[in-house]
Amino acid sequence: MLIKRSTFASVAAAGVLLTGSGAAVAADGAPADGAAVTANAGPSKQAKYQRLHQLTRSTTTSVKDWRRTRELAQSGVDRWGFIWSTDWCTKLADKPGGFNFKLSCARHDFGYRNYKKMMGKEAFRHSKHERRVDKAFLFDMNNQCAVQPHKTDAERRQCRKTAKAYYDRVSN
């Protein structure tokens, strides 16, 4: 495949390349999620940090990508070596008022645990990442409120109010 050097550089800077076969690979040469990884071919620290950032944003794409990456890790395909354990929102009820926030809690735990491991606990507490992970938590809960089955507008408002109370508890 012929690629102009400037095009290749800009694609590589974006972090993903396509091989001639159409298989996606990271800019560091490692295969994309779902592909086999050989021993010692793990991602660089910078690539892992960028991936963590991608998986903890307040976007529906980030949520879907996190879920897919989590499912792959749970099935044994874990190219990134992230921490996936969760305690489902420490000391907070998982389903307050019947609203299920468990996956929101799991993604929040994912962000906290992995940033703390990569940066150190104190550096994380004083970084922009803690606030961003907390905002993603609120984003996730509000999205969950929007898709609750058979809920009235009043129940959805109550769900968002409960989500905001959860957010306030974790972001203090």
Side-chain angles (χ1 to χ4, degrees):
M1 171 171 26
L2 181 62
I3 300 176
K4 290 182 182 177
R5 183 173 296 277
S6 62
T7 303
F8 180 80
S10 62
V11 171
V16 175
L17 302 174
L18 291 179
T19 64
S21 66
V25 293
D28 64 359
D33 283 340
V37 177
T38 59
N40 300 325
S44 68
K45 185 173 182 176
Q46 181 180 354
K48 188 172 179 176
Y49 184 77
Q50 288 172 341
R51 184 67 176 146
L52 180 57
H53 181 80
Q54 291 170 344
L55 296 174
T56 55
R57 294 180 304 176
S58 297
T59 67
T60 54
T61 300
S62 180
V63 174
K64 288 177 186 177
D65 199 15
W66 175 81
R67 287 182 181 181
R68 185 175 70 76
T69 305
R70 180 176 181 251
E71 288 169 2
L72 285 169
Q74 289 173 333
S75 71
V77 180
D78 186 7
R79 136 173 167 63
W80 298 99
F82 287 127
I83 300 168
W84 292 97
S85 63
T86 183
D87 58 13
W88 313 109
C89 293
T90 310
K91 300 178 184 176
L92 298 175
D94 295 327
K95 294 183 180 180
F99 305 115
N100 187 348
F101 295 140
K102 286 186 82 169
L103 279 178
S104 302
C105 292
R107 193 162 88 112
H108 187 259
D109 285 347
F110 169 82
Y112 264 55
R113 290 171 186 192
N114 285 286
Y115 273 115
K116 284 178 182 179
K117 181 180 178 185
M118 290 183 73
M119 302 175 71
K121 189 174 183 177
E122 280 303 308
F124 174 67
R125 298 248 353 128
H126 300 289
S127 74
K128 62 183 177 185
H129 303 296
E130 182 181 33
R131 183 164 170 80
R132 190 175 46 74
V133 169
D134 288 345
K135 286 185 178 245
F137 181 48
L138 180 60
F139 175 86
D140 290 352
M141 290 186 293
N142 282 331
N143 280 340
Q144 187 59 42
C145 291
V147 299
Q148 291 285 322
H150 312 294
K151 299 291 181 182
T152 65
D153 287 341
E155 289 171 314
R156 282 194 179 95
R157 281 191 300 276
Q158 182 58 44
C159 184
R160 286 191 300 273
K161 186 176 180 180
T162 302
K164 178 69 166 86
Y166 259 43
Y167 168 76
D168 290 343
R169 294 262 322 260
V170 301
S171 63
N172 289 331

